[in-house]
């Protein structure tokens, strides 16, 4: 069976995942700025060390998310691999979210549905048609 190459084809999945990653990165940076403004009240409680480390990790993850989105929009292979890693990290952290936050069952079901969607996106980003775009 011959291989079919689609020259110049830009899949909507790649563009959608790229824009979603960049939006999540911008929201993370905005939330980090909000936490930075609120840090003076938390410093009196003695939790400033944990907040500084958490905020640094949030800024790092947000910057990586924006970089992965830009790399995917420009169809760089490193952008695809970085986004696969970030999506896998999100996939692993989603089941823990309802347990940590002590949320109701509906949030757990929503996280389960989101995990199924992320599994589908990860599978599709590794397909041959999508990998052809990054060659």
């Amino acid at each position: 069976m011959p291989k079919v190459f689609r020259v110049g084809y830009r899949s909507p999945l790649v563009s959608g995942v790229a824009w979603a990653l960049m939006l999540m990165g911008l929201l993370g940076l905005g939330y980090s700025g909000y936490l930075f403004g609120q840090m003076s009240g938390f410093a009196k409680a003695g939790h400033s060390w944990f907040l500084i480390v958490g905020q640094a990790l949030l800024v790092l993850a947000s910057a990586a998310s924006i970089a992965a989105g830009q790399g995917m929009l420009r169809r760089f292979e490193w952008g695809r691999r970085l986004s696969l890693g970030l999506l896998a990290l999100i996939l692993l952290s989603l089941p823990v979210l309802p347990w940590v936050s002590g949320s109701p069952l509906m949030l757990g079901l929503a996280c389960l549905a989101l995990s199924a969607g992320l599994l589908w996106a990860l599978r599709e980003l590794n397909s041959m048609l999508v990998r052809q775009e990054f060659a």
Side-chain angles (χ1 to χ4, degrees):
M1 182 173 203
K3 289 186 179 181
V4 176
F5 291 104
R6 296 185 174 149
V7 179
Y9 175 72
R10 293 174 106 35
S11 69
L13 172 73
V14 174
S15 298
V17 169
W19 282 106
L21 282 172
M22 288 188 295
L23 180 65
M24 286 189 328
L26 288 175
L27 288 174
L29 286 177
Y31 185 63
S32 176
Y34 172 75
L35 286 179
F36 182 72
Q38 299 294 325
M39 193 178 296
S40 63
F42 289 118
K44 295 175 186 172
H47 297 93
S48 63
W49 187 80
F50 292 118
L51 285 177
I52 291 172
V53 170
Q55 190 172 0
L57 288 174
L58 179 62
V59 168
L60 181 66
S62 298
S65 180
I66 291 171
Q70 282 294 315
M72 280 189 63
L73 274 182
R74 295 179 180 160
R75 302 309 195 255
F76 291 138
E77 179 63 24
W78 62 264
R80 185 182 74 87
R81 289 178 189 227
L82 182 59
S83 66
L84 286 174
L86 287 172
L87 289 176
L89 185 66
I90 292 170
L91 181 68
L92 291 175
S93 65
L94 271 177
V96 179
L97 179 68
W99 177 65
V100 169
S101 63
S103 300
L105 180 64
M106 290 307 290
L107 182 63
L109 292 176
C111 286
L112 185 64
L114 191 58
S115 295
L118 283 175
L119 276 174
W120 174 80
L122 281 171
R123 194 185 98 231
E124 289 298 315
L125 284 175
N126 271 331
S127 69
M128 179 63 89
L129 287 175
V130 171
R131 282 187 282 157
Q132 280 179 347
E133 294 180 46
F134 293 89

